[in-house]
Amino acid sequence: MAQTPSEFGKVRSLLWPIHNFELKKLVPMVLLFFLILFNYTVLRDTKDALIVTAAGGGAEVIPFLKVWGVLPAAVIFMLIYSKLSNRLSKPALFYSVIVPFLLFFALFATVLYPTRDLIHPTAFCDHLQSFLPQGMKGLIAILRNWSYSLFYIMSELWGSVALSLLFWGFANDTTKVSESKRFYSLFGLFANFSLIISGFCIKWASAIRQHLPTGADPWQVSLNYLMGMVTLSGLLIIGTYWWINRYVLTDARFYSQDERKKQKKEKPKLSLKESFQLLLRSKYLGCIAILVIGYGIAINLIEVTWKGQLALQYPNPNDYSHFMGGFSQMTGIATIFMMLFLGGNVIRRFGWGKAALTTPVVLLVTGVLFFTFIIFRDNLGSTIAAIGTTPLMLAVIFGTAQNILSKSTKYSLFDPTKEMAYIPLDQEQKVKGKAAIDVVGARLGKSGGAFIQQGLILVFGAIGAITPYIGGILFVIILAWILAARSLNKQFVSLTATKDAPATEPKTIKPSAQVESTV
């Protein structure tokens, strides 16, 4: 039976909820997100290749860098950003933040890396290592390869600054509430294609050594291409941002200064002490915070162990980078598949509780398999040899599958269920609770795993020696995460039922509200 025009319009609005005239705003915003995420992926894979394969480096350097490099740099950046935001217009602030990043990445490839043998204090660090404990190797490596460490810090900041602060701050400031319910899910969906494109570019640049003459430095050539891509993408980011300000935000259909002023509310600025107090007073918000902290610690514990195995399998930076390019491609494909076919469907069919438990259960199962294999692989030598591979390569494969599954599940299920948990709260709890969790959860989640690993490395000396302990700690962290999710589900169902009770018809969460939070 043929569809009527009205029925066809309903189907079209579900599949593509965008009016034709809105493409003028949607397309450049998607492009801006795509370019920022492209740079994020290239920089993430390159920084790991530099640090993990460097002479005197290794995966054990990463926890020290996160605690003693990234965390202080983030604090310093926010102090500078706060000062600049009071003095500069928003466009000037955007350019003032982006340009120094691009200059540094271009400078690293053309000046710092080529002169590494001159500027790195190798002899001094060898002297320090001769009398300091083996567990201090990671801290010494930060100084030994200080330009690599600086590159790692700047690359880590790019994700927080360009993606979380600049893009989402700009999007939230210039997108109407009615638009956000339709736009934000599409931002995330199309932008994730950048993982596939960037993965291909990384693999191409890393394989360039096959065509180089004898005596050439292949990693230098790869870096030139990779940082050239980052710089070009950065210039396109600046151009796209300028175009949106010049031609989109001057269109009254998309941006109303009066409406924005009317809707905008001051975001509470909570101190760390106030944030802890708020989370301790509210069992509901405390459970959400445990979810956020649990994921941050768990993924950090697994990733560093996996990268330690990667460094052993691919000690050459070109080989390591080539592998990470493929990993980014697979992660992008899996994330897009999960967002399209599983995320919203799981929530609608099985409810909030089962959807929220999916991510910790996936991390628990895959994490246990990964660490069990790492610990007991020496006893499986004959079996592994029979299938034509090595214990190390199989550990890399297990770790890769685990990371792809955990990241795609996080984007498609963990993020939306976390955001949905705020819905039953009143406005004050929503705003203050989210601000508190951003302060406490984000800091403890990112730094907690690094502190744990750093302490164990100082005691036992290397990533390989602490693997059994990391596995045990991971189990405890995920168990606490699961218990918090189960408790939160009971509270969520109770609050939702209370709020829905006065209505004449049962309310349901609109699909758009579920999809919106996946970004």
Side-chain angles (χ1 to χ4, degrees):
M1 185 175 178
Q3 287 184 327
T4 64
S6 60
E7 290 174 336
F8 177 78
K10 290 179 181 178
V11 173
R12 179 189 178 280
S13 65
L14 288 173
L15 297 176
W16 182 250
I18 304 298
H19 302 293
N20 289 337
F21 77 91
E22 291 177 321
L23 292 175
K24 179 181 178 181
K25 183 175 186 178
L26 178 69
V27 171
M29 287 297 291
V30 166
L31 178 61
L32 187 65
F33 194 1
F34 178 96
L35 293 169
I36 291 174
L37 198 56
F38 175 90
N39 274 6
Y40 169 78
T41 307
V42 173
L43 293 171
R44 179 194 64 191
D45 294 350
T46 304
K47 70 178 174 61
D48 287 339
L50 276 169
I51 290 296
V52 172
T53 65
E60 51 264 65
V61 183
I62 295 176
F64 290 90
L65 263 174
K66 286 184 179 291
V67 172
W68 302 105
V70 178
L71 191 59
V75 173
I76 294 171
F77 171 82
M78 290 309 300
L79 292 175
I80 296 173
Y81 183 84
S82 298
K83 294 288 184 181
L84 291 177
S85 64
N86 293 328
R87 299 182 180 182
L88 301 176
S89 65
K90 289 187 177 179
L93 181 63
F94 186 95
Y95 302 136
S96 298
V97 171
I98 291 291
V99 170
F101 277 99
L102 301 182
L103 289 176
F104 171 79
F105 294 130
L107 184 69
F108 179 82
T110 56
V111 177
L112 294 180
Y113 185 80
T115 60
R116 62 194 180 280
D117 292 334
L118 296 175
I119 62 177
H120 287 175
T122 304
F124 175 68
C125 290
D126 287 340
H127 175 66
L128 290 177
Q129 192 66 71
S130 66
F131 63 87
L132 289 177
Q134 178 66 19
M136 296 292 289
K137 177 185 175 183
L139 197 58
I140 295 172
I142 297 177
L143 177 62
R144 180 190 298 276
N145 301 303
W146 68 264
S147 67
Y148 299 178
S149 301
L150 189 57
F151 183 92
Y152 187 98
I153 293 168
M154 292 292 285
S155 299
E156 281 275 312
L157 287 180
W158 175 268
S160 301
V161 173
L163 194 57
S164 301
L165 184 62
L166 295 184
F167 175 79
W168 283 115
F170 180 58
N172 291 336
D173 198 38
T174 58
T175 305
K176 301 174 184 178
V177 174
S178 59
E179 291 175 335
S180 67
K181 293 180 179 180
R182 296 175 291 115
F183 283 15
Y184 278 14
S185 60
L186 296 177
F187 288 171
L189 178 62
F190 288 114
N192 270 290
F193 279 95
S194 67
L195 273 70
I196 301 173
I197 304 300
S198 58
F200 171 80
C201 293
I202 293 168
K203 290 174 67 176
W204 174 82
S206 301
I208 201 72
R209 64 176 180 165
Q210 299 172 3
H211 310 288
L212 296 178
T214 305
D217 183 349
W219 186 229
Q220 170 70 76
V221 177
S222 297
L223 271 179
N224 289 341
Y225 279 112
L226 290 170
M227 293 307 102
M229 294 175 195
V230 168
T231 304
L232 177 60
S233 178
L235 294 176
L236 291 174
I237 288 170
I238 292 173
T240 304
Y241 179 82
W242 175 87
W243 197 92
I244 294 172
N245 278 277
R246 178 68 178 82
Y247 295 104
V248 176
L249 300 187
T250 53
D251 191 330
R253 295 176 299 175
F254 303 120
Y255 187 74
S256 170
Q257 186 70 20
D258 293 335
E259 181 182 352
R260 184 178 71 85
K261 287 181 178 179
K262 199 184 336 180
Q263 292 181 349
K264 187 175 181 182
K265 295 182 179 180
E266 186 69 24
K267 185 177 180 180
K269 297 179 180 179
L270 302 178
S271 68
L272 193 60
K273 179 181 178 181
E274 291 170 332
S275 299
F276 269 115
Q277 290 175 341
L278 179 61
L279 297 181
L280 290 174
R281 286 197 303 266
S282 171
K283 179 181 177 182
Y284 191 92
L285 292 174
C287 287
I288 300 177
I290 292 174
L291 264 62
V292 174
I293 295 169
Y295 176 82
I297 294 177
I299 198 66
N300 189 273
L301 292 176
I302 296 173
E303 274 192 342
V304 172
T305 305
W306 172 58
K307 288 172 183 176
Q309 301 298 307
L310 273 180
L312 296 174
Q313 180 66 34
Y314 301 108
N316 181 279
N318 285 85
D319 295 334
Y320 188 100
S321 181
H322 187 274
F323 178 88
M324 290 302 294
F327 168 76
S328 295
Q329 285 182 308
M330 291 184 287
T331 303
I333 294 170
T335 299
I336 292 169
F337 175 84
M338 293 278 283
M339 292 180 73
L340 282 174
F341 300 108
L342 295 181
N345 291 327
V346 171
I347 297 172
R348 285 191 292 270
R349 289 193 61 184
F350 301 103
W352 187 94
K354 288 185 172 58
L357 285 169
T358 302
T359 306
V361 169
V362 167
L363 259 75
L364 179 63
V365 173
T366 57
V368 166
L369 289 174
F370 175 63
F371 280 101
T372 300
F373 178 80
I374 294 291
I375 295 169
F376 298 105
R377 63 184 175 184
D378 291 340
N379 301 325
L380 303 172
S382 58
T383 304
I384 295 172
I387 61 176
T389 186
T390 63
L392 181 58
M393 189 63 210
L394 210 53
V396 169
I397 293 172
F398 276 150
T400 302
Q402 192 284 326
N403 271 267
I404 292 172
L405 281 172
S406 61
K407 288 183 183 297
S408 57
T409 307
K410 188 257 186 187
Y411 298 145
S412 59
L413 288 170
F414 177 81
D415 288 344
T417 52
K418 172 176 68 76
E419 296 301 327
M420 286 172 64
Y422 292 106
I423 293 175
L425 300 176
D426 59 47
Q427 188 61 32
E428 183 180 4
Q429 285 183 309
K430 283 182 184 178
V431 177
K432 289 186 177 181
K434 191 167 179 58
I437 289 169
D438 286 344
V439 172
V440 176
R443 292 185 186 181
L444 292 183
K446 290 181 179 180
S447 303
F451 273 112
I452 292 170
Q453 289 164 328
Q454 179 180 287
L456 290 174
I457 290 170
L458 287 172
V459 175
F460 295 100
I463 287 289
I466 68 173
T467 299
Y469 303 98
I470 292 294
I473 293 171
L474 176 69
F475 178 80
V476 173
I477 294 294
I478 296 181
L479 182 61
W481 178 0
I482 290 174
L483 293 175
R486 289 172 62 88
S487 174
L488 185 59
N489 179 52
K490 294 178 182 178
Q491 299 173 72
F492 177 79
V493 171
S494 176
L495 282 175
T496 304
T498 301
K499 284 185 174 292
D500 287 351
T504 56
E505 294 181 4
K507 295 181 181 178
T508 57
I509 300 171
K510 296 181 180 179
S512 58
Q514 296 172 354
V515 177
E516 173 192 349
S517 59
T518 63
V519 181

